[in-house]
Amino acid sequence: LRASAAVVGALITRLASQLPEGTLRVDTEVLEAYGTDASDGGMHLPQVVALPQDTAQVSRILKEAQAAGVPVTPCGTRTGKSGGSLPVHGGVALSLERMNRILEIDPIDLVAVVQPGVITGALMEAVEAQGLFYPPDPNSWPSCTLGGNVAENAGGPRALKYGVTRDYVLGMEWVLSDGEVVRVGRRTLKGVAGYDLVGLFVGSEGTLGIATELTLRLLPLPAYVQTALITFGSLEQAAAAVNAVLGAGLIPRALELLDAVAMRAVDGRPIPFPADARACLIAEVDGATEAGVEAELVLLGARCEEAGAKEILVARDEGQRARLWEARRGVSPGLRRLTPHKISDDLVVPRSKLVEAIAGCHAIGREEGLMVATYGHAGDGNLHANVLYHPGEEPAVERALGKMLELALRLGGTITGEHGVGWAKKRWLPLEQPAPLLELQQRLKRALDPAGHLNPSKIFPDGG
Ligand SMILES: Cc1cc2nc3c(=O)[nH]c(=O)nc-3n(C[C@H](O)[C@H](O)[C@H](O)COP(=O)(O)OP(=O)(O)OC[C@H]3O[C@@H](n4cnc5c(N)ncnc54)[C@H](O)[C@@H]3O)c2cc1C
């Protein structure tokens, strides 16, 4: 699929006459920056980076690239963990980062209209200033884009109570692989006319088209929020507490679990963890009244104590809350500091199998002689099982990752809860999905991208 330098050169010449100066970049440091992401999937240099500023420019780039037979790989800010934005066949890396305007926030209709390059945290902040709430909160919110969230159907700690990105996308503008621009979905909460094409796009990992405008659903901002750090003497106790809390009829807005390795990775950054804690939960509850939220937290604490909690530390103010979440967000980069490499399996199991899944991942780590950290959105049964390793240990890592995914499937789960299949996990998709289902999805891909040049070789093992 890789196009020759001459073909790409001719494409650049054609596009340069149609796009503002500075839209196309071929300098080495820029190509290198767009050749990697947060998946540890290596360097895959694009042949040109395109930085369009509006839908017409995106459409033009796709149209000309399609005509020239040059692959195009869309990207946001490349925080993806499954290698979806890696330009594995070179060609054009098309970044939406300059399309970063919040176009509208409507407090009556409870919608926001945004360009795809808006940073998730920027939208959260803008709507919260108006007493509104955009719940999807991937832990990368300070740096990832809403377009990337939609393409990956990103989740986050608050998915437990509020759902994932898909639950907040009402409509969108979508540029097809040949440059045609369509608008799908709507602005209203309900509406069932025609196929649910928004649902098809969300989670399609940049393989079916490029989102150039998003109409997102908002909620009123909950008036009260309380956050607690709950420590345990064992990982099993912490996992059991998750089920005890949910079994008591409580739905906290977050219930995040960290094991001892994950805690060590962020200890003191910025909060110290009690030395004897072997696992912890970060629990957050919200609601419309202070008394209701307090009562929920007390009940949650009681269930955790019954499950063996050692200590329950409630954040006293916004500053302490922010520091707790800073520690949670620091886990992934913190683990990266412990060994030269790390790779993350983002598996999901039914909640009843959480204890078994955690114990199983650690046993696999011991079998393969590798350090394993488990943390994540335990309330959703979504575990980030991280394998930390040194150069030379790759074969053991590969075996460990495969065994963990097989374990998740054996327990009735899935190989990815929110990071996507992308480039990193495509060889494992057939473990979860039978050949006819893979073929059905590839037929959809062929219908929307007949030439197969849009983010090629992602998701499906044979290239899609
Ligand atoms: C520290 C850290 C914490 C994280 N925590 C979470 C978490 O809690 N939950 C979670 O779900 N993920 C998490 N992630 C993963 C990642 O941040 C998300 O997948 C995020 O949605 C990616 O957004 P991005 O802008 O970086 O997209 P990129 O990585 O640039 O791209 C991701 C995919 O989206 C496609 N894409 C991007 N923009 C568009 C567009 N406009 N139209 C079509 N396709 C597009 C790309 O082709 C690619 O396939 C985390 C990552 C890090 C580094």
Side-chain angles (χ1 to χ4, degrees):
L1 277 172
R2 192 182 175 85
S4 69
V7 167
V8 176
L11 172 68
I12 293 173
T13 307
R14 257 197 320 282
L15 280 173
S17 63
Q18 305 173 41
L19 298 168
E21 211 183 316
T23 305
L24 301 176
R25 302 286 300 269
V26 290
D27 11 342
T28 308
E29 63 276 23
V30 176
L31 297 182
E32 281 176 0
Y34 289 80
T36 59
D37 69 0
S39 68
D40 248 346
M43 173 68 77
H44 303 263
L45 284 184
Q47 288 156 290
V48 53
V49 173
L51 300 158
Q53 286 166 290
D54 61 33
T55 304
Q57 292 173 16
V58 173
S59 165
R60 180 100 345 242
I61 295 163
L62 284 178
K63 192 172 175 188
E64 294 289 356
Q66 166 113 316
V70 175
V72 176
T73 304
C75 69
T77 40
R78 301 179 316 283
T79 66
K81 290 198 164 183
S82 57
S85 66
L86 298 175
V88 294
H89 295 290
V92 183
L94 191 157
S95 169
L96 282 307
E97 71 199 56
R98 287 187 179 169
M99 293 179 63
N100 61 358
R101 280 186 304 128
I102 298 176
L103 303 173
E104 184 191 349
I105 294 173
D106 186 325
I108 308 293
D109 287 348
L110 287 174
V111 297
V113 182
V114 300
Q115 291 186 319
V118 170
I119 297 295
T120 309
L123 178 68
M124 289 172 166
E125 201 180 311
V127 301
E128 283 171 28
Q130 299 193 29
L132 303 171
F133 188 35
Y134 179 68
D137 61 337
N139 276 309
S140 47
W141 60 258
S143 54
C144 64
T145 66
L146 289 162
N149 295 170
V150 169
E152 296 288 3
N153 190 16
R158 301 197 291 231
L160 177 58
K161 180 168 179 178
Y162 290 105
V164 294
T165 303
R166 179 186 289 132
D167 302 307
Y168 293 86
V169 188
L170 297 172
M172 55 188 293
E173 184 181 72
W174 171 348
V175 186
L176 298 169
S177 61
D178 62 359
E180 186 186 343
V181 182
V182 292
R183 294 189 83 90
V184 297
R186 64 200 88 84
R187 189 189 165 91
T188 54
L189 196 54
K190 292 181 77 178
V192 293
Y195 289 151
D196 179 7
L197 295 180
V198 173
L200 176 65
F201 187 95
V202 178
S204 63
E205 304 190 25
T207 63
L208 298 183
I210 297 184
T212 44
E213 189 186 289
L214 304 165
T215 302
L216 302 171
R217 175 185 171 210
L218 304 174
L219 297 178
L221 186 66
Y224 297 93
V225 184
Q226 289 262 28
T227 311
L229 173 69
I230 305 159
T231 61
F232 296 84
S234 79
L235 197 51
E236 289 71 20
Q237 283 174 337
V242 170
N243 288 327
V245 167
L246 296 163
L250 294 168
I251 304 195
R253 82 168 181 182
L255 205 47
E256 298 282 299
L257 179 139
L258 273 64
D259 75 2
V261 183
M263 283 192 296
R264 179 150 58 91
V266 288
D267 198 13
R269 294 168 192 248
I271 50 159
F273 287 89
D276 56 350
R278 305 300 302 154
C280 73
L281 291 176
I282 297 176
E284 188 160 274
V285 292
D286 67 1
T289 67
E290 195 168 7
V293 170
E294 289 277 347
E296 227 178 277
L297 194 64
V298 168
L299 193 53
L300 184 147
R303 291 295 170 268
C304 288
E305 273 175 346
E306 282 161 24
K310 281 164 121 32
E311 248 184 305
I312 302 179
L313 305 163
V314 180
R316 276 196 308 269
D317 52 39
E318 266 308 306
Q320 288 192 347
R321 252 195 81 214
R323 282 198 290 283
L324 262 179
W325 284 112
E326 196 182 326
R328 168 62 187 87
R329 279 197 306 281
V331 172
S332 179
L335 287 171
R336 229 169 248 288
R337 287 190 290 269
L338 297 183
T339 49
H341 300 289
K342 104 173 163 75
I343 201 147
S344 164
D345 252 353
D346 135 64
L347 45 94
V348 189
V349 294
R351 261 187 312 248
S352 57
K353 306 287 189 214
L354 201 53
V355 178
E356 220 174 308
I358 291 173
C361 288
H362 284 273
I364 291 166
R366 284 192 298 276
E367 260 167 52
E368 297 293 345
L370 296 164
M371 198 192 320
V372 167
T374 48
Y375 67 95
H377 318 304
D380 302 321
N382 187 187
L383 274 186
H384 298 319
N386 280 234
V387 180
L388 314 183
Y389 65 102
H390 295 88
E393 293 181 317
E394 288 80 1
V397 173
E398 186 75 3
R399 282 194 302 274
L401 293 174
K403 284 181 187 176
M404 287 174 185
L405 296 178
E406 281 167 7
L407 171 71
L409 293 173
R410 224 175 23 251
L411 295 175
T414 171
I415 63 169
T416 175
E418 55 183 24
H419 291 166
V421 177
W423 174 247
K425 277 194 173 165
K426 61 184 202 146
R427 62 192 178 287
W428 284 306
L429 189 59
L431 283 182
E432 177 167 336
Q433 300 189 345
L437 181 54
L438 295 176
E439 173 51 24
L440 173 63
Q441 294 171 88
Q442 285 169 291
R443 268 160 52 202
L444 282 169
K445 164 74 174 165
R446 286 195 292 274
L448 287 162
D449 179 21
H453 283 127
L454 188 57
N455 209 356
S457 298
K458 302 292 167 65
I459 304 179
F460 305 107
D462 59 350

